[in-house]
Amino acid sequence: MHIPTVHIPTVHIPTVHIPTIHIPTVHIPTVHIPTVHITLYNSVNPDTIFANNEMSLGDIEIYGFDYDYTLAFYSRHLHTLIFNIARDILIQEHRYPEGLREYEYIPNFVVRGLHYDVQRALLMKIDAFHYIQLGTVYRGLHPVPDKEVIAMYDGCHVPLENMSDFYGKSSHGHTMKQYMDIFSLPEMNLLCSVNDYFMKHNIDYEPVHLYKDVKEAIGDVHVKGIMYRAVEADIENYISYGEQTHAVLKKLYEDGKKMFLITNSPFDFVDRGMNYIVGKDWRDLFDIVIVQADKPGFFNDRRKPFRRVTDKGVLHWDRIHKLEKGKIYKQGNLYEFLRLTGWRGSKVLYFGDHIYSDLADLTLKHGWRTGAIIPELRKEIKIMNTEECVHLMTWLQGLTGLIEHMQVGGDPASQAVVQEWIEEREAMRSQTKDIFNGQFGSLFRTYHNPTYFSRRLSRFADIYMASLSCLLNYDFHHTFFPRRTPLQHESPFWPEQTSAGALKMPFIPPQNHN
């Protein structure tokens, strides 16, 4: 039987060590497998600003900022503090077992963007197409076997009606909660720890009550001011990156840009932090300062008026007709903000770390440009640049290409080789997950698909970066261009991005042994 010659374009692969593929001594039909050449990719600079949407800084006249994890960056000590205080609240106020004191915050256990099934008490990573990434489903501190996950969800897909609502919350019948902000890391840790304790001691419990109690305890850490007082008392232990934030604000101010601050944090806390980061004259840099804004309600609720606050926290009762520089305002709403300032549309760029609460409404409803601050980027890019990661990813791509081209036809022996490649690929996929985080992998990918977090980031943020300090690398007339990556049906500019079906080459037909 004649088997057509398969022409496969040369794939340029880096000069790195490639593990030996153990192919058994079998007769394989005449199929030309290309020699795989690898070319080393350029390293990615972690201080780069990445664009989802074309945007020119030359068009931006007004810069807005969130405070927490945008202007102020915190050390890991803060997550430990939040975990410990919330754990103790559960014990003292919700009568949870004293044995929970044995649990401590685990710094690298969870990542941002995970979903929590409130009914089943399961923490997991979901991709942009609502599919659960097997191997990332945890009950307590231990993974749930893949077979059990598939049985519970009748597969791996989570229906839209079960997903979290627009702001990632579990409400109105949604059974999933998505944890999107950095402050949620201690909450996920605490949920897993309490679940683990109850299972370890065979205690029957209601997962919904546990979820609500942990949520309330974490909320009390913020609402009752416990966290704020602790940070103010030991600010050097909790706040970092001060000099870079100051340099960015100073550069914008000297360039004549308008600046404003909208934060959910109280004034005393912000003032103490900004005095440490920038200096006592920090308010001179900002045209408008709004605290306790109650985002995302600030962007949607027209009913709350602004209220002026003195430096000592005294509230004024007078109606606000103008937002003045040097004064502090509380609450309010975006519609009144727009009316009083006239700062509308694409001349405004707002930075925040919470994709939903800070950015979504601004870009969807008001046409502001948006910048996401993603501190995890720096760590993930550094991992991506390592020889181990480059080696794994390039060989994984090469192996996937071989499987794609060789999957059809051939005798049983050659198909057995392909099956070995498939098994090797699965093992390598797990390896690539583990180098980012042993439990949940990368914040941005579920194997090859974008995560649910990634998809939201690309929709609601025009640009994203590891920290505001990245702005120091760019001129204020710089235009950010998104990378034009080919769609699946488009002709690419480089052959290694072509799928087998688009190569104008015949597939190997099935063997007919009759």
Side-chain angles (χ1 to χ4, degrees):
M1 174 181 175
H2 174 68
I3 299 174
T5 300
V6 181
H7 298 286
I8 300 176
T10 300
V11 179
H12 297 286
I13 312 184
T15 307
V16 292
H17 173 69
I18 298 175
T20 304
I21 303 176
H22 298 288
I23 303 178
T25 306
V26 292
H27 172 69
I28 301 177
T30 309
V31 176
H32 297 292
I33 302 176
T35 302
V36 180
H37 300 285
I38 301 181
T39 312
L40 192 62
Y41 292 110
N42 292 326
S43 294
V44 178
N45 184 348
D47 291 320
T48 300
I49 294 178
F50 304 93
N52 292 319
N53 191 20
E54 185 173 327
M55 189 192 80
S56 174
L57 291 180
D59 297 331
I60 306 301
E61 301 172 13
I62 305 124
Y63 286 76
F65 305 92
D66 181 31
Y67 175 68
D68 296 302
Y69 287 106
T70 300
L71 293 176
F73 282 78
Y74 299 99
S75 69
R76 285 186 174 178
H77 298 300
L78 183 62
H79 294 159
T80 301
L81 174 74
I82 295 171
F83 178 93
N84 289 342
I85 295 172
R87 178 201 60 203
D88 293 347
I89 289 174
L90 285 179
I91 296 169
Q92 295 164 8
E93 300 183 18
H94 295 268
R95 303 176 64 83
Y96 275 64
E98 281 286 338
L100 286 174
R101 294 192 194 275
E102 300 172 5
Y103 288 85
E104 296 181 351
Y105 179 71
I106 308 171
N108 294 312
F109 181 68
V110 296
V111 298
R112 196 155 49 128
L114 300 178
H115 280 79
Y116 184 76
D117 188 326
V118 176
Q119 303 286 341
R120 296 185 174 97
L122 297 176
L123 189 65
M124 68 192 73
K125 190 163 77 167
I126 296 178
D127 74 10
F129 301 97
H130 297 190
Y131 281 88
I132 299 166
Q133 181 179 3
L134 294 176
T136 69
V137 181
Y138 275 70
R139 181 184 288 116
L141 299 173
H142 302 281
V144 179
D146 294 347
K147 288 183 179 180
E148 188 178 336
V149 174
I150 293 169
M152 278 191 288
Y153 291 94
D154 196 21
C156 295
H157 186 261
V158 180
L160 179 62
E161 60 266 22
N162 294 343
M163 293 293 288
S164 53
D165 69 9
F166 182 78
Y167 294 107
K169 297 179 180 178
S170 172
S171 60
H172 307 298
H174 300 283
T175 60
M176 291 283 187
K177 154 75 177 180
Q178 189 182 18
Y179 290 100
M180 291 295 279
D181 71 330
I182 304 172
F183 279 130
S184 67
L185 299 180
E187 184 173 351
M188 287 186 277
N189 257 271
L190 187 57
L191 271 171
C192 291
S193 296
V194 181
N195 274 312
D196 185 74
Y197 181 89
F198 284 160
M199 289 187 299
K200 188 179 291 183
H201 293 84
N202 296 314
I203 298 173
D204 188 27
Y205 68 102
E206 171 53 59
V208 175
H209 297 332
L210 170 59
Y211 165 75
K212 290 182 177 178
D213 288 346
V214 170
K215 178 183 177 183
E216 183 178 328
I218 290 287
D220 285 347
V221 176
H222 296 271
V223 174
K224 293 183 178 179
I226 304 171
M227 183 196 79
Y228 300 133
R229 290 191 293 272
V231 172
E232 289 178 46
D234 192 9
I235 202 161
E236 293 183 3
N237 190 39
Y238 293 112
I239 291 185
S240 55
Y241 297 166
E243 293 180 2
Q244 295 174 330
T245 298
H246 187 191
V248 171
L249 296 176
K250 184 178 179 182
K251 184 178 178 182
L252 289 167
Y253 179 80
E254 291 175 349
D255 203 62
K257 305 297 183 183
K258 300 284 187 181
M259 286 188 284
F260 64 93
L261 172 64
I262 301 177
T263 175
N264 288 349
S265 293
F267 174 69
D268 287 347
F269 180 70
V270 174
D271 186 51
R272 181 79 173 88
M274 291 298 285
N275 280 340
Y276 176 74
I277 295 168
V278 177
K280 293 187 180 297
D281 59 347
W282 70 268
R283 287 162 60 184
D284 295 341
L285 300 174
F286 290 89
D287 295 271
I288 298 171
V289 176
I290 300 166
V291 298
Q292 292 176 278
D294 191 29
K295 295 177 292 181
F298 179 87
F299 299 127
N300 296 289
D301 190 347
R302 299 171 181 261
R303 296 170 297 176
K304 292 183 179 179
F306 285 107
R307 193 164 191 180
R308 192 158 63 84
V309 188
T310 67
D311 293 359
K312 296 183 179 180
V314 178
L315 297 172
H316 283 251
W317 47 262
D318 52 317
R319 185 188 295 271
I320 302 300
H321 296 282
K322 183 180 180 182
L323 297 175
E324 301 179 57
K325 183 170 184 173
K327 295 183 178 180
I328 307 299
Y329 300 92
K330 178 182 176 181
Q331 293 182 343
N333 66 83
L334 183 65
Y335 297 92
E336 189 70 0
F337 180 90
L338 297 176
R339 186 184 71 81
L340 294 173
T341 63
W343 293 350
R344 300 176 183 273
S346 57
K347 65 181 180 181
V348 184
L349 172 59
Y350 186 80
F351 292 96
D353 69 290
H354 198 304
I355 296 171
Y356 296 151
S357 297
D358 288 326
L359 308 180
D361 289 309
L362 293 177
T363 188
L364 292 177
K365 299 179 181 179
H366 302 286
W368 283 12
R369 308 313 292 263
T370 51
I373 304 300
I374 314 292
E376 299 94 335
L377 257 180
R378 188 164 274 112
K379 176 184 175 184
E380 291 223 2
I381 289 173
K382 287 179 179 178
I383 292 172
M384 285 166 46
N385 287 339
T386 62
E387 185 176 343
E388 178 189 10
C389 187
V390 171
H391 161 70
L392 279 170
M393 294 305 300
T394 51
W395 181 233
L396 182 59
Q397 287 294 96
L399 194 58
T400 302
L402 288 173
I403 294 167
E404 185 176 17
H405 296 310
M406 298 288 292
Q407 62 185 316
V408 180
D411 59 23
S414 61
Q415 284 304 300
V417 174
V418 174
Q419 184 58 40
E420 285 188 17
W421 292 346
I422 291 172
E423 292 171 4
E424 182 180 356
R425 177 176 180 266
E426 286 304 305
M428 292 185 69
R429 277 154 58 99
S430 294
Q431 281 183 269
T432 57
K433 174 184 79 72
D434 292 345
I435 62 174
F436 290 98
N437 176 279
Q439 295 72 239
F440 300 99
S442 168
L443 173 63
F444 303 97
R445 282 202 181 273
T446 55
Y447 296 139
H448 55 283
N449 282 343
T451 57
Y452 196 87
F453 177 93
S454 268
R455 182 58 58 87
R456 292 306 210 212
L457 174 65
S458 64
R459 178 64 186 90
F460 300 141
D462 291 299
I463 56 176
Y464 64 100
M465 65 208 76
S467 72
L468 280 177
S469 64
C470 299
L471 278 171
L472 297 173
N473 302 319
Y474 296 87
D475 181 85
F476 284 145
H477 293 280
H478 184 88
T479 299
F480 297 100
F481 296 96
R483 201 176 299 171
R484 184 182 172 89
T485 52
L487 300 175
Q488 296 299 313
H489 67 278
E490 291 180 329
S491 176
F493 297 103
W494 43 92
E496 59 265 29
Q497 289 196 328
T498 309
S499 62
L503 284 176
K504 295 184 179 180
M505 67 172 218
F507 285 102
I508 302 173
Q511 297 282 351
N512 185 354
H513 296 288
N514 294 334

